[in-house]
Amino acid sequence: MKISAPFLFAFLLSLSCFAQPADEFMTSLYDRLHYSEVQQKFKTLHPMPAGVVYIQHPGEGEKEIREHFRLMKKLGFNSLKQIQTISGWTENRIALIAIEEGIIPWWYGQGGWEEITPGLLTKLGIPAGTPVAEVMKNPKMVKYQNDLMINVILESEKPGKNVSGGSVAYDPQVGGRGIDLSETGEKLFTAWCQKTYGSIENLNKAWNTDHIGLEPISGSFKSWEDFNNRWKSVPARECRNNFDILKFKVDHSLETIKARAERLRQINPNAPFRAGGELGLFRPQAWFCVDLESVANLMKDYGSFYPSIHFVWHFNEVNGELARPFYMQASLAVDYFKGGWAGPWEATGGPQQLSGEKDVNTGFTVDEGVMTQFILSQIAGGFKGFGLWCWSVRTAGLEVGEYSLLDRNNQPGPRAIRVGKIAQAMEKYRDELWDAHKEPLVGVLTDWNNEAMGAVFSLKSRTDYKQDPLNSRIGVSRALINANIPFEYVTVRDLKAGLAPRYKIIYLPGNMTFTQALMPILTDYVKQGGRLVMDMPGAIMDEYSRVFPTGKGSDFERLFGTTVNDFQFSGFNITNSIEGMTIKGFTVYATPAAAKVLATYNNGKPAIFENKYGKGTAVLLGYETSKMCFKPGNKQAESMLLEYTLGTISSPYQCEEAIAYRLSSPDADHFFLINDSNDQVTAHLRFRSYKYKSATDAITGEIINLSTGFTIDPNSGIWIRCEK
C-alpha cells in the first residue's frame, strides 16, 4: 500500500502534537494551512535564491558575461531573477552560460530542482539516508539537476514550449480598475452572480432589494432573465452590488492565474510558478480588483507568492518611509501564505530617482545600509530568498543608471558587497531559516471584505475610505514595531481554520465592516482566554452594508459588555480628547453594561471599555486608535494604543536603541535589529526568559557579547544568531 505524502505529513504532525503537548504558537496548524506536495518539496530542498536581473550592456559578449556571472557567484549570488539581452543575443544562450558558471538562470534557484526521492538517490548512486543538505552538494546530484535545466532551455526553443513562469496581479480583460466592466465583463459578471447566489431570491436578499431606497426600478428581480435585463437599474446608494463586481473580478483573475500555472506545469512540472505581482501592498487591493490572500492560497499547489517592492513605486502611500514599512510589507505577504513559500521576486537593488509614480516627488538613497535594512527586514518577515532589480544599470532611457547593485561604472561597490554577504549568510543558515517561525503575541486582523466595502463607499462618499483600512493597519503595526512587540497579520480564513489561539491578543484596526463569520469565532476566542481589541471605525456594518447589531441583547453587547448607541465624529463641529490627547475621526456614544470603563472623553462620556468574558477580555477603543498612529512621531497615540491593547502582557525581548524582530528555529533564534537613526548606536538586547549558549553576527561571524552591547551603524542593521 502506497502512503500519500499529505497523509504521511499529517500523521507525523499528529505524533509531534502528542510528543509536544504544549504547542503554544500552534506551529503544527500553521504549517498545515498551506500544506501541499509542492510546498513540501520546497520544505525539503530549502531553496534560498539570491537572484539578480542581468541586463546585457552594448558591447558585452561572452567574455564579459562570464565575468559578470563569476563575480556574482564570488559575492554570494546564486541565481538570475531575469535576463535582458541586446540584439543578436537570446535569453537561452545567456542562461546556458549561467549554468556553466554555477548560476541558476531562473528566479526560483534550487526550488526548480526535481524532487529528491529514494529512487533518484538510488539512480545516482547516493547512499540512502544521506542528509538532504549533503545530497544537494553532491556533484552527481548537481550535474543531474543541471542537465535537467539545460534540457528545459533547449526544449523551450520548440514551438509552444516557451511559457512564462509568472503572473501579474490583475487581469484587465473584464474591465478597468474599480467597478468598471467591459462588455465581456458584464456578461461574465451576470453569469457569476447566478453561479454565486444560486437563486434569484438569494441575490435579492444580498443586494438589499427589500430595504428602502435600494430596490431596483420596477422592484425586486423576478428571475435571472429579469436580472440580466435590469441589474444596472439598482440605485447608486446600494453597495453590495458593487462589492460583488470587485469580488467577481478577483475570481476571474484567479481563474486566469490558475490556467497559466497549469500550462507551465504541463511544460515543465519541476518549475515553480509565481504569482502576486506589481501591486504595492499599501494600496487598496480590493479597489484594484485583487485579493492577494486568494492569490497566495492558489499558489499552494503551484509555487511561490510574491509582491513587487520598489521604493519609488510602492512606498508612496506611506509618504516614502522605508524602515518600518519594509517589515510590514514582507510580513503581510508571508502571513497571507502561512506555511507556504513567499519571497520578494521583484525588488529594488539600488538608487532610484528618475522613475516612479508621477504624483509623488520621491527619490531615495539606496546605499549598503539601506539595503541591509531592506534585506534583513524581509528575512525577518519570513521571506526565503530574493530577486533584485537589477545587477547592472540600464544604459539608456527611463531608469538610466538606476536600480542596480553595481555602480554606474559597472563595478561592485559597498552595496553589492554587503548584499552579497547577506546572501552568503542566508545560504549558510538556510535550514534554520526554513525551520524558523514567528512567535507573535498580537494578531492584527486584515479582512478583504472590510477593504472592499471601504472601496465601495469611496465611490459616492469620501475617497479616503478605500485607503483607511490600510492606514489603520499601518498605524497599529507601527506602534507594535516601535515597542518591539512581535506580531503577525491574521485573516478571516486563518481564524476560520482555528488559528485564533496562536495569539494572546487579536487586534481589529479600522474594521468598519465586521464580517458576520467573525463574531462566533472571536466570542469563543475571548471565552477561552484571548484578549480582543477593536478600535474605530468598528462594526458599523456587515459585508452586505447592513447595520451591524450593537444594541441590547446583541452578540456584540455580550462580547464587549456595552451597546453602541451611535457612531459619532470628533474634529469638526465638536472636538473630543481622551486623557488630554485630541482625537479626530470616528467615536462612539455607548452605554456600558458588564464592561468596565477604562477612560472617558473630556465631556465625561465613556470612551474605552474592557469586558471580562469567560477566561478572556474584550476591549473596545472608542476612537480611531490605530489610524492616529499612521504617521511617524505620534508618541502619545502609540503609547495609548499599547497601554489598552497589551494590558498586562509584555514582549519577551526588548531593545530600546533599535527596532528588533525575531524568528525562532529549533537550534537558534535569529534577531534582526534595525537602526533608522543617523547616528551609530550601542544596542542592548534583553530577554525576559530566553537563554542562549552564544551569540554571533550572522553576516560577519563575529562573537556578540549581549551583556555589554553591540554597535549598529547609522541607517543600517545587524543580524544576530543566538544559539540555543
Side-chain angles (χ1 to χ4, degrees):
M1 174 181 174
K2 182 180 179 181
I3 300 176
S4 68
F7 177 86
L8 179 60
F9 183 67
F11 176 71
L12 292 174
L13 281 176
S14 69
L15 289 181
S16 67
C17 290
F18 284 113
Q20 298 176 345
D23 187 4
E24 181 181 358
F25 294 97
M26 305 183 73
T27 53
S28 297
L29 175 59
Y30 180 103
D31 287 340
R32 289 200 303 271
L33 288 178
H34 291 97
Y35 173 78
S36 70
E37 292 186 359
V38 170
Q39 298 303 318
Q40 185 57 39
K41 172 190 169 183
F42 302 145
K43 290 177 181 179
T44 301
L45 294 175
H46 293 175
M48 196 62 73
V52 292
V53 176
Y54 170 64
I55 297 176
Q56 188 180 16
H57 286 193
E60 285 186 348
E62 183 172 339
K63 176 177 177 293
E64 291 78 13
I65 293 170
R66 290 187 183 277
E67 288 174 352
H68 275 296
F69 292 161
R70 288 167 186 169
L71 178 59
M72 288 179 193
K73 188 173 181 180
K74 177 182 177 182
L75 292 180
F77 302 96
N78 56 31
S79 60
L80 298 180
K81 184 263 169 189
Q82 193 176 340
I83 299 169
Q84 295 199 341
T85 67
I86 60 175
S87 178
W89 282 77
T90 65
E91 291 182 27
N92 282 352
R93 183 179 174 189
I94 292 179
L96 290 171
I97 294 174
I99 292 175
E100 291 177 4
E101 296 295 341
I103 300 290
I104 295 178
W106 297 292
W107 63 268
Y108 43 74
Q110 291 172 317
W113 274 22
E114 181 180 306
E115 184 178 3
I116 297 175
T117 63
L120 180 57
L121 295 180
T122 300
K123 177 180 178 180
L124 298 179
I126 300 174
T130 303
V132 173
E134 293 182 22
V135 170
M136 295 182 71
K137 296 176 183 177
N138 188 297
K140 296 179 182 178
M141 179 61 70
V142 173
K143 182 180 184 307
Y144 176 81
Q145 301 287 358
N146 283 350
D147 288 344
L148 289 179
M149 290 189 287
I150 291 170
N151 185 62
V152 167
I153 294 171
L154 298 178
E155 283 289 311
S156 71
E157 296 178 346
K158 298 178 181 178
K161 296 290 187 177
N162 189 5
V163 179
S164 171
S167 174
V168 296
Y170 171 68
D171 177 9
Q173 175 189 350
V174 295
R177 301 296 191 187
I179 62 170
D180 173 68
L181 285 172
S182 64
E183 184 176 344
T184 298
E186 289 181 355
K187 294 177 181 177
L188 292 173
F189 174 62
T190 54
W192 177 91
C193 287
Q194 184 168 353
K195 179 181 178 181
T196 299
Y197 288 108
S199 71
I200 198 66
E201 291 77 18
N202 289 339
L203 181 133
N204 277 323
K205 182 177 180 181
W207 283 25
N208 301 307
T209 63
D210 58 339
H211 290 252
I212 184 68
L214 302 183
E215 69 276 7
I217 296 173
S218 302
S220 299
F221 302 114
K222 306 300 187 296
S223 64
W224 287 114
E225 181 181 3
D226 181 33
F227 170 77
N228 291 340
N229 292 329
R230 292 196 297 124
W231 69 273
K232 293 183 182 180
S233 69
V234 171
R237 70 177 60 249
E238 161 57 7
C239 294
R240 179 67 189 200
N241 59 334
N242 290 329
F243 178 103
D244 278 349
I245 291 176
L246 301 178
K247 185 66 171 68
F248 151 71
K249 287 185 175 182
V250 163
D251 289 349
H252 176 80
S253 181
L254 292 172
E255 291 175 2
T256 302
I257 294 171
K258 183 175 181 179
R260 295 182 67 177
E262 285 285 356
R263 187 175 175 213
L264 176 67
R265 174 173 287 176
Q266 292 172 8
I267 301 298
N268 183 0
N270 290 322
F273 189 87
R274 62 185 172 99
E278 297 290 335
L279 185 65
L281 293 177
F282 297 128
R283 287 188 165 181
Q285 55 179 288
W287 175 250
F288 282 81
C289 311
V290 175
D291 179 353
L292 290 174
E293 185 194 6
S294 291
V295 174
N297 290 343
L298 182 60
M299 286 303 98
K300 176 187 76 171
D301 294 315
Y302 294 102
S304 181
F305 175 68
Y306 81 107
S308 178
I309 305 179
H310 293 301
F311 303 169
V312 290
W313 292 103
H314 300 135
F315 290 82
N316 293 335
E317 293 77 19
V318 289
N319 305 305
E321 181 189 2
L322 296 181
R324 289 157 185 80
F326 281 158
Y327 182 80
M328 296 179 202
Q329 284 183 323
S331 191
L332 184 63
V334 169
D335 296 347
Y336 277 148
F337 201 23
K338 294 178 176 68
W341 184 24
W345 310 127
E346 171 65 32
T348 280
Q352 59 231 242
Q353 295 87 36
L354 300 176
S355 66
E357 293 282 7
K358 295 179 181 179
D359 60 338
V360 178
N361 182 21
T362 56
F364 292 91
T365 292
V366 186
D367 58 12
E368 67 273 20
V370 173
M371 286 303 294
T372 298
Q373 292 180 336
F374 186 39
I375 304 297
L376 294 192
S377 296
Q378 293 176 34
I379 301 171
F383 280 151
K384 297 172 178 68
F386 58 72
L388 299 182
W389 180 280
C390 45
W391 171 249
S392 50
V393 298
R394 288 189 185 274
T395 52
L398 189 64
E399 300 177 6
V400 58
E402 297 198 326
Y403 283 95
S404 73
L405 285 167
L406 300 186
D407 66 20
R408 291 171 57 87
N409 307 306
N410 240 11
Q411 297 302 307
R415 181 173 58 252
I417 293 170
R418 176 72 62 80
V419 176
K421 288 185 180 298
I422 297 174
Q424 293 177 43
M426 285 164 43
E427 177 66 24
K428 180 177 181 180
Y429 297 115
R430 60 192 285 175
D431 293 339
E432 288 183 6
L433 292 175
W434 268 93
D435 289 340
H437 292 81
K438 298 174 187 173
E439 293 187 342
L441 291 181
V442 182
V444 175
L445 184 72
T446 172
D447 183 357
W448 189 90
N449 288 346
N450 185 46
E451 294 185 28
M453 196 56 75
V456 170
F457 267 73
S458 73
L459 290 168
K460 295 293 181 180
S461 188
R462 276 182 22 217
T463 56
D464 293 349
Y465 281 135
K466 65 175 178 285
Q467 190 68 35
D468 280 350
L470 286 81
N471 291 353
S472 296
R473 184 170 70 224
I474 292 165
V476 65
S477 302
R478 175 188 306 287
L480 295 172
I481 288 171
N482 286 344
N484 293 148
I485 305 296
F487 72 96
E488 181 175 273
Y489 298 112
V490 61
T491 70
V492 178
R493 284 188 180 100
D494 296 333
L495 296 178
K496 287 180 178 179
L499 203 63
R502 175 173 167 85
Y503 314 101
K504 287 184 168 57
I505 302 166
I506 294 179
Y507 193 108
L508 278 57
N511 270 69
M512 182 170 69
T513 300
F514 197 107
T515 298
Q516 291 178 359
L518 282 173
M519 184 55 76
I521 297 172
L522 294 177
T523 299
D524 186 65
Y525 164 75
V526 173
K527 187 177 181 180
Q528 299 304 320
R531 183 174 176 85
L532 175 67
V533 182
M534 183 173 74
D535 67 14
M536 292 296 109
I540 291 180
M541 69 192 77
D542 66 13
E543 65 267 42
Y544 296 92
S545 76
R546 300 173 192 142
V547 170
F548 196 89
T550 60
K552 194 167 182 59
S554 65
D555 292 337
F556 181 94
E557 185 202 29
R558 182 162 60 106
L559 178 57
F560 287 99
T562 185
T563 62
V564 173
N565 310 322
D566 283 312
F567 291 97
Q568 296 285 5
F569 206 85
S570 171
F572 284 95
N573 62 318
I574 293 178
T575 299
N576 299 122
S577 63
I578 301 175
E579 298 179 2
M581 183 179 71
T582 300
I583 59 175
K584 183 175 180 179
F586 282 92
T587 62
V588 296
Y589 282 3
T591 302
K596 178 181 178 182
V597 177
L598 300 183
T600 62
Y601 303 115
N602 56 297
N603 59 15
K605 294 182 179 179
I608 297 176
F609 312 81
E610 182 179 72
N611 185 47
K612 295 187 182 300
Y613 181 76
K615 298 178 181 179
T617 55
V619 179
L620 183 66
L621 304 173
Y623 69 106
E624 294 186 358
T625 317
S626 54
K627 189 179 172 186
M628 286 185 62
C629 302
F630 167 65
K631 292 183 178 180
N634 295 315
K635 293 185 178 179
Q636 186 179 9
E638 291 179 25
S639 177
M640 192 175 293
L641 182 150
L642 293 167
E643 176 186 354
Y644 293 114
T645 297
L646 298 178
T648 60
I649 298 170
S650 61
S651 176
Y653 58 88
Q654 277 297 323
C655 180
E656 296 179 2
E657 301 86 3
I659 298 167
Y661 308 118
R662 171 179 172 265
L663 289 176
S664 180
S665 74
D667 294 330
D669 282 353
H670 294 261
F671 289 89
F672 306 86
L673 295 104
I674 306 299
N675 173 21
D676 69 333
S677 75
N678 294 322
D679 301 313
Q680 186 182 75
V681 299
T682 299
H684 300 82
L685 194 55
R686 298 182 175 88
F687 313 112
R688 195 171 65 217
S689 58
Y690 301 150
K691 301 206 179 282
Y692 301 108
K693 292 179 181 178
S694 62
T696 57
D697 184 319
I699 299 172
T700 67
E702 297 175 16
I703 300 297
I704 298 290
N705 189 328
L706 295 175
S707 61
T708 60
F710 46 90
T711 59
I712 311 178
D713 290 337
N715 297 301
S716 189
I718 187 172
W719 172 3
I720 298 178
R721 177 182 180 270
C722 296
E723 186 175 354
K724 294 181 178 178

